[in-house]
Amino acid sequence: MPKAPGCWVVMAEIARAVCVRLKWASIHLGLLATPAVAVAEPSLTLGADYSYSDYTVQGTERDVVLTPQGPGLSVTVAGDGPWSASLSHSQQDDRERVSSRFDLDYEVDSVGVQLSGSWLAGDVSRWVSLFWQRDQEELKIIDRADATSNRLNYRERIETDGIGVEVGQAWEWPQWSPSLALSVNALRSEVDRQFQSLQQENNLLIAFEEDQDLDGVDASLSAGIDYFHSVDLSTLLIPSAILTYQRSLSGEITSGSRSALVHRRGIRTSSSSTGPQSLDAEDQVTLDLSVNLLMGDWQGLLGYSRPLLEKPYDERWIGGVSYRF
């Protein structure tokens, strides 16, 4: 029985290095599943955004910059009380050259459901959110060698389910609003890896397959600050900053930073992902910056996010718009 070629180990390590950086690349800073403001009558909010990520991955011949990007859509229904329910969907993909011979292809499809409630008592608002999200990822290392050469191919599929709960409180001052939030997340990933090596000289196909189950539980503490600037009677500009500390409680993987998922005014300034961000389950600190523009029933958003304890730093951008009927 033939032994696994050494390239199997090399390609698997490349793929794992990529996956550590690309877990739940659909992490969004805003608009997906935008919680609705608690109003006196029911409302329907539709949102659309486009996200862009920038990751540096070490290749066999040079470092590779991956830029997975893609659209996201959401719909939020709010009743005549403090509760709202949201459904969101997003996709991202990218293909880059790893070396003179290999290409790296990555794509992720995400769907999420969220139930949120917020209450205002005097100058203090509190909120709670329950969420579930599923990611289906596929990463492929593609051999571009000609048909007369030996060919190597690697494919990794990951399906992750994450659930969590978040509670938070904000202090509503005239122009400033500091906030604190605590979330606990649990997730499970099913990983399927496949490797094929075709040796032309003896027409031999060597194939290997590996299945792996991973899980984890983590907690995040977020501290945020918003500044409210009134442009005119119907336009409000809100720059925000959120710093999140995340710690693994058990397991091999951790979720994407929540960063105050539900904002008391229905303004999203944070991540919507619960998927695995690290296979090492290390502690992490994340900075989220965003600018929201409210114009009546319209909302526009530009957001930026980066971890502070990783090198090289991964950057994520998002821009989007939503309308409440």
Side-chain angles (χ1 to χ4, degrees), residues 109-122:
D109 186 278
S110 302
V111 60
V113 177
Q114 179 177 307
L115 178 64
S116 307
S118 59
W119 299 266
L120 180 63

Side-chain angles (χ1 to χ4, degrees), residues 223-242:
I225 185 72
D226 300 334
Y227 177 75
F228 300 93
H229 174 68
S230 179
V231 179
D232 53 41
L233 293 178
S234 61
T235 304
L236 189 63
L237 185 66
I238 310 174
S240 303
I242 301 174

